[in-house]
Amino acid sequence: MTSIGSEIRKILGRDSYWSVLRAYGYAGLVSGGPWVLSILSIMMIGILAVILGVAQGEVNAFQICVTYLMAGSLIWTGGMQLMFTRFVADQTYANNKAEVLPNLFGVLLVTMAGGAAWAAPFIFWSFDGPFIQELLLLSNFVVLSGLWITLIFLSGMKAYRRIVWTLVKGYSLGIVVALAASSWALNGLLLGVLIGHGYLLFSFLHHIVREYPGRSLLKFDFFRSRSNFYILFAVGTLYYLAVWVDKFIFWFVPVTSEAVIGPLRASIIYDLPIFLAYLFILPGMAVFLVTMEADFAEQHERFYRAVREGDTLMHIEYRRDQMVYAARQGIYEIFKVQGLTVVLCLLWGRELLQAVGISPLYIHLFYIDVVAVSVQVLLMAILNVLFYLDARKEVLFITACFFITNLVFTFATLHLGAETFGYGFAASVTLSAFLSLFILSRKFNRLEYETFMLQN
């Protein structure tokens, strides 16, 4: 699903500084935009709401609620995102696009209705606020669960300008509605986020219907995929659990957290630096989309076309070498660009924290978190290459390692003291990245053997 990567390469082909800036800007917004723009919009709503007279406690409760909603919805849908992505990719490759739309409605029904079925009892039983507040929390969770599913289509659609403007309009609408309804305090802010995400969900559905017209309304063929595709479900769930487990530990250990609203807790020590650090993944995500979803994908397709069409062994080996070179260059480019981002954050980190009103006491944790999320971008790129090579079991092993080590290392830092906070996540993602590099290198060395000798 490399359509948007190819379109961005066309912009780069115009060979000007403006075209480079446009290409990487679009790539960054499409690949990392939904995550980064959501963080920015939540921060902006919080700042402007305080200026408009909303109590700081209400704003804090709003930001914590949205954070939990995002964490819960990502973990809930993570497995289905990967499993359905593979289904869509297979149908697209088989020129069977008419099956995509009815199965999309099927997966949306499963994730949104299923999410509502378990989230509703939890929300209505755990929270003691007004009914409208509990209903807004549930509605936000259901809409987010559907939104994450529709976002998997972004890299497969060529309308990158329309995608970017839809994201901008959706989050702008959410901010405007939240501020207009700020007199309702927490409920008004939650309503703004709901309307913004709802606009994005239905707008992207509109784009998908135009791109993938179908002949029926509802199907569940994605459940009838080969059984080993369920490994992808486990991978997606484990990956998001690994990303969030350190946050949950800091939220629910009493020493590092405090109660905010209902059962939800927050860790002032840990939350601010890590979410600020995630704003700086955009450069690496832009390079990731351009190099991996265009350059590597093209070489990957040429290698397997040579295999399928019975090319000479010399030419197949040449294509393999070109694919390995494209992967190596892509990883190197991400390392270089994200490394430069880390250096800039190290140089101007104190000024940045001052500008957003965060105490300079957080500076060392911010430095560690910037390094950690940058390595996470690298890990995502390597996992993406392994997905192209259909190394599902290897990716499952890596994500399980990421989850277990983050869990263990984070608990270890709690015992070692505040000066080690953040090192657990950083050590875990770095270890996982090195492990994935080792597995990828081994996979490339055995590629011809596995391609010809291990197929059914």
Side-chain angles (χ1 to χ4, degrees):
M1 299 177 67
T2 59
S3 298
I4 200 163
S6 302
E7 290 297 305
I8 288 173
R9 294 301 297 178
K10 291 179 183 177
I11 300 176
L12 288 172
R14 295 168 191 168
D15 196 23
S16 68
Y17 289 118
W18 173 238
S19 64
V20 171
L21 187 63
R22 282 181 59 207
Y24 280 95
Y26 280 128
L29 286 173
V30 170
S31 56
W35 174 245
V36 173
L37 287 176
S38 64
I39 294 175
L40 285 173
S41 64
I42 292 166
M43 291 176 65
M44 189 171 295
I45 289 172
I47 293 169
L48 295 176
V50 170
I51 294 173
L52 291 176
V54 179
Q56 185 66 54
E58 293 286 300
V59 171
N60 291 343
F62 158 73
Q63 293 175 333
I64 297 305
C65 285
V66 175
T67 302
Y68 274 84
L69 288 167
M70 288 191 168
S73 59
L74 282 168
I75 294 169
W76 166 243
T77 62
M80 193 61 77
Q81 287 178 48
L82 283 186
M83 189 174 164
F84 189 63
T85 298
R86 178 58 189 261
F87 175 82
V88 173
D90 285 353
Q91 298 306 313
T92 304
Y93 179 79
N95 199 25
N96 198 17
K97 286 188 174 184
E99 296 299 309
V100 171
L101 188 63
N103 278 280
L104 170 63
F105 289 138
V107 77
L108 285 175
L109 180 63
V110 170
T111 54
M112 296 175 76
W118 70 262
F122 171 77
I123 291 172
F124 289 115
W125 180 73
S126 302
F127 290 83
D128 54 4
F131 174 76
I132 187 65
Q133 186 180 101
E134 296 170 346
L135 188 61
L136 283 168
L137 288 170
L138 178 62
S139 301
N140 269 289
F141 177 80
V142 172
V143 168
L144 276 171
S145 297
L147 180 60
W148 301 134
I149 298 296
T150 60
L151 287 178
I152 68 175
F153 286 86
L154 294 193
S155 65
M157 293 193 290
K158 297 180 180 180
Y160 52 89
R161 290 189 186 89
R162 197 165 68 232
I163 291 168
V164 169
W165 280 114
T166 300
L167 287 169
V168 172
K169 286 189 290 185
Y171 285 110
S172 299
L173 176 64
I175 293 171
V176 170
V177 173
L179 296 178
S182 60
S183 58
W184 297 346
L186 174 59
N187 293 342
L189 302 182
L190 288 173
L191 177 64
V193 172
L194 175 62
I195 290 177
H197 284 147
Y199 173 84
L200 289 177
L201 172 61
F202 288 105
S203 296
F204 286 135
L205 279 175
H206 174 67
H207 298 330
I208 293 166
V209 169
R210 291 173 60 180
E211 194 88 11
Y212 297 90
R215 290 189 290 268
S216 56
L217 180 63
L218 194 65
K219 285 189 176 181
F220 299 92
D221 294 341
F222 58 92
F223 278 132
R224 292 198 289 270
S225 300
R226 287 182 290 169
S227 59
N228 55 0
F229 284 177
Y230 285 97
I231 292 177
L232 293 174
F233 187 92
V235 168
T237 304
L238 272 174
Y239 178 79
Y240 282 112
L241 281 171
V243 169
W244 286 97
V245 68
D246 57 307
K247 289 81 173 169
F248 279 112
I249 290 172
F250 274 89
W251 288 339
F252 288 99
V253 170
V255 178
T256 58
S257 66
E258 60 183 12
V260 178
I261 178 173
L264 307 186
R265 303 178 65 87
S267 176
I268 299 175
I269 299 172
Y270 199 72
D271 292 351
L272 290 175
I274 187 69
F275 290 115
L276 187 61
Y278 269 114
L279 295 178
F280 295 94
I281 65 172
L282 267 186
M285 293 299 293
V287 175
F288 166 79
L289 183 62
V290 173
T291 58
M292 291 300 176
E293 297 291 347
D295 296 343
F296 174 78
E298 181 181 358
Q299 296 302 328
H300 172 273
E301 196 275 333
R302 288 178 179 178
F303 169 77
Y304 282 102
R305 190 199 309 156
V307 171
R308 288 193 307 270
E309 295 177 358
D311 218 327
T312 64
L313 179 60
M314 182 179 295
H315 192 251
I316 289 173
E317 289 177 340
Y318 169 76
R319 285 295 171 206
R320 195 288 304 262
D321 292 341
Q322 290 296 106
M323 182 171 66
V324 173
Y325 177 77
R328 185 184 295 121
Q329 284 298 108
I331 293 169
Y332 171 70
E333 286 295 319
I334 293 170
F335 181 82
K336 183 172 65 176
V337 171
Q338 203 59 41
L340 179 60
T341 305
V342 170
V343 170
L344 293 176
C345 287
L346 293 177
L347 289 174
W348 294 325
R350 291 183 184 276
E351 290 79 3
L352 177 65
L353 293 186
Q354 270 187 331
V356 296
I358 298 176
S359 169
L361 295 174
Y362 290 101
I363 190 64
H364 296 294
L365 181 53
F366 173 69
Y367 289 158
I368 295 299
D369 288 337
V370 168
V371 172
V373 299
S374 298
V375 176
Q376 187 183 339
V377 175
L378 199 62
L379 174 63
M380 289 168 59
I382 300 167
L383 292 180
N384 193 58
V385 175
L386 288 170
F387 276 133
Y388 269 103
L389 301 179
D390 207 25
R392 292 185 291 262
K393 292 180 180 178
E394 289 86 345
V395 175
L396 178 63
F397 177 71
I398 293 167
T399 51
C401 172
F402 184 19
F403 171 67
I404 293 169
T405 54
N406 197 11
L407 180 72
V408 173
F409 292 170
T410 301
F411 271 120
T413 60
L414 287 174
H415 290 288
L416 291 173
E419 64 275 6
T420 63
F421 289 174
Y423 282 92
F425 175 58
S428 172
V429 72
T430 303
L431 177 65
S432 302
F434 277 118
L435 176 63
S436 61
L437 273 175
F438 172 77
I439 291 174
L440 178 61
S441 177
R442 186 172 181 271
K443 194 78 177 174
F444 275 139
N445 289 336
R446 292 166 49 89
L447 190 59
E448 290 96 337
Y449 168 74
E450 292 186 1
T451 300
F452 286 100
M453 302 303 293
L454 301 184
Q455 302 301 316
N456 292 327

